[in-house]
Amino acid sequence: MRLLPSPRPRPSTCLFSVLALACSVVAVAAPTPVAAAPVTTITSTWTSDDGQDFTITNHLRNFPGVDRDAAASHEYLVVWAGDVNAADLESGAGGKLHNLPGAAGEAMDSLGRPHTPAVGPDFLAVIDVQKGAPTYGKVVNTVTVPLAENEPHHMQYEWHRGDTIYAGGLYSDVAFALDATNLPVMTLRGVNLPTDTPCGSVPDAFWTMSDGTAYGTWMGGPNLPGPCTYTNGEVRMGNGFGGAPGSVVLLDRNGRTISESPAATPGMEPVPRECAMTPPVEPRTCANPHGIQLREDLNRMITGDFAQPSVIIEDPLPALPPVDVNMVRRTVRIWDISDRKNPKVVSVSRLPDGPRQTKPSDAENMGFMEVTVTNRPGHKGAFASSMCAGAIYYTPDITVKDPQWREVYDQAAVYRAMNDRAKAGMAGSGAGHHGFADSGCEGSGWLQTSPDDRFLYTVTMGRRAHTAEASDPGTPGIVLSLDIRKLLAAGNDVECKIDTETEAFHGGAEKDCPTVHSVLPVDDPTSGGPHWGALDHFVQGPDGKFAETRDPRRLAYSNYFVARTGWDGDHKVCLVTIDDDHQLSLDRDFKDEYTGEPCVDFNRASWPHGPWGDAKPHSMIFVVPDAAFRD
């Protein structure tokens, strides 16, 4: 395989196939040089077992008057971002995305000029988030990866000292393992290739464990259709790349596959007829794991099934004549991880229907993109959130044989409350003068409990006006925190249950239901809004050294999903302050160095690695270099 072949014409999109890696390894032609600040390049190379060299390149900026040695004491936000190219703007037969309400938009650059952007390098942006530093909010390094058009997706949910950073490529079926010990410089520990995960494709999210290894979800099916044999010798029938069933992969610190385990367990699908697959195979399975979190102390892991990824990414659902709604999943899986190398699915739960009267695709229990666990000893519960409807479900004990799930909050209640505030003329409603819908497909994403189990954080992309129908006023993006203390205090005797339309639109009636603690409207007028977030788990002491905290006071979010689905975004990365009362507010000091506006704008003409233009920031994590930790 040649990493940088000669430039050649390319199709408008890379379709899912066993040739996905070949499709991603496209030419990256040298850009025309432009005037830029001095940059130091530092490379790091890893060699695969078959002798292929993979190299990442750091492009470290040299800021006049800034002591580079001081950078070793700063905290950073590492953002996994993709290059915007023509395929993002013209995706689908005949450029279908352009005909969709709220779609990816016109083929314009960041200055509003028509263009057809070339394929450029994907990269990890290292942003200084050291409050008060002269480089606060600046991109101090971009680390380009050797494969193009990966569609950078998720890393792990949180980073701890010594952890490898795992960064997956949705289209390339590749995961990069990176060492952040000496940030802002990064080194390459390894590359997990499609041949390393023969029974799974489309890597999604990762969770690191205390020994430095990590589990990752490969949401799509095996590289080739037909039977596939997993590491433990078990066999499952799959329908091919981007299909089903997906797998969970255990990775070592260098990104090597230790084991690949099946997410499908024959006979455990609660409602097999709801497990549509294309092409169809038997037995049917809904096993398309997306979000992943775990409790090492309980030997339990949870994954949420989202959708068969090929139909979502190749051909967005809104663009097609009827697609079987059952391609989107209603199930959550709990795993026994007592044997770390051989995790086993012990329960598959079809989450219950909700009370809202809506079309099937917007039902409360459709598309469980994200799940999260509780953290404190004595708490054994977990949450799951549906992407489209933004309904939040809860089970108090993930260790029992048959976990009982119930809906405990519907984000329709947030929008109803925001509308009420707008009608009353109250500031901060985010509704403007016209109000907006309080139900429909809002696009719920990242979901995370606070380390002390007091709050549940989530972000929602929102929906542009007229997306669902001509009269649809749309909804804004939001960052939301829910107070979950009473719910968790109830133990196994939970009373909260959203089972009436009144509760769906006004909050649960039972005394232990979650309540809104703070909501931050997000002003992204494009097709996106916040999809992903991360809590800042670090605090700096008087000695200037960092330690982990159970009371985070910042979070980050990014306004980007996947352009080729029609949900794009304004490509901004923002910081949110969490005050002493745990209220949320936008950090307006975290400004783009070129526009002077709050948030770092990834739509820009040039980067430290060259004038490649706009980029798509998908996920992020807070990281502290090793030298800055308190011993």
Side-chain angles (χ1 to χ4, degrees), residues 567-587:
W567 252 321
D568 189 4
D570 67 8
H571 301 172
K572 291 181 180 179
V573 172
C574 306
L575 287 188
V576 174
T577 299
I578 306 172
D579 68 16
D580 291 343
D581 190 36
H582 294 87
Q583 295 295 310
L584 308 174
S585 62
L586 184 67
D587 181 352

Side-chain angles (χ1 to χ4, degrees), residues 171-248:
Y171 295 164
S172 62
D173 195 21
V174 166
F176 300 95
L178 302 115
D179 188 329
T181 301
N182 297 309
L183 273 184
V185 174
M186 302 176 72
T187 56
L188 183 63
R189 282 183 164 172
V191 181
N192 191 286
L193 298 168
T195 50
D196 298 317
T197 57
C199 294
S201 56
V202 192
D204 194 273
F206 303 88
W207 186 272
T208 52
M209 291 184 284
S210 57
D211 65 357
T213 61
Y215 284 116
T217 51
W218 265 247
M219 184 167 51
N223 293 342
L224 296 173
C228 194
T229 303
Y230 296 80
T231 306
N232 61 8
E234 296 181 15
V235 178
R236 300 288 187 272
M237 184 66 69
N239 64 353
F241 197 102
S247 63
V248 165

Side-chain angles (χ1 to χ4, degrees), residues 263 269 285-287 301-303 305 331-335 345 347-348:
E269 297 296 346
T285 178
C286 287
M301 177 169 69
I302 181 172
T303 58
D305 293 323
T331 46
V332 168
R333 294 165 201 271
I334 293 175
W335 307 58
V345 176
S347 72
V348 183

Side-chain angles (χ1 to χ4, degrees), residues 451-500:
D452 57 14
D453 285 348
R454 289 190 291 173
F455 302 103
L456 180 68
Y457 294 98
T458 188
V459 299
T460 300
M461 287 186 284
R463 189 177 69 253
R464 281 180 69 180
H466 317 305
T467 298
E469 56 191 21
S471 61
D472 175 19
T475 55
I478 59 171
V479 181
L480 172 68
S481 68
L482 296 173
D483 189 327
I484 56 173
R485 285 176 284 189
K486 291 181 179 179
L487 183 69
L488 271 58
N492 290 328
D493 298 321
V494 176
E495 296 180 3
C496 181
K497 188 177 183 181
I498 306 299
D499 52 9
T500 68

Side-chain angles (χ1 to χ4, degrees), residues 418-436:
M418 292 170 72
N419 268 333
D420 290 345
R421 288 174 58 87
K423 291 175 183 176
M426 300 176 69
S429 68
H433 298 292
H434 303 291
F436 38 73

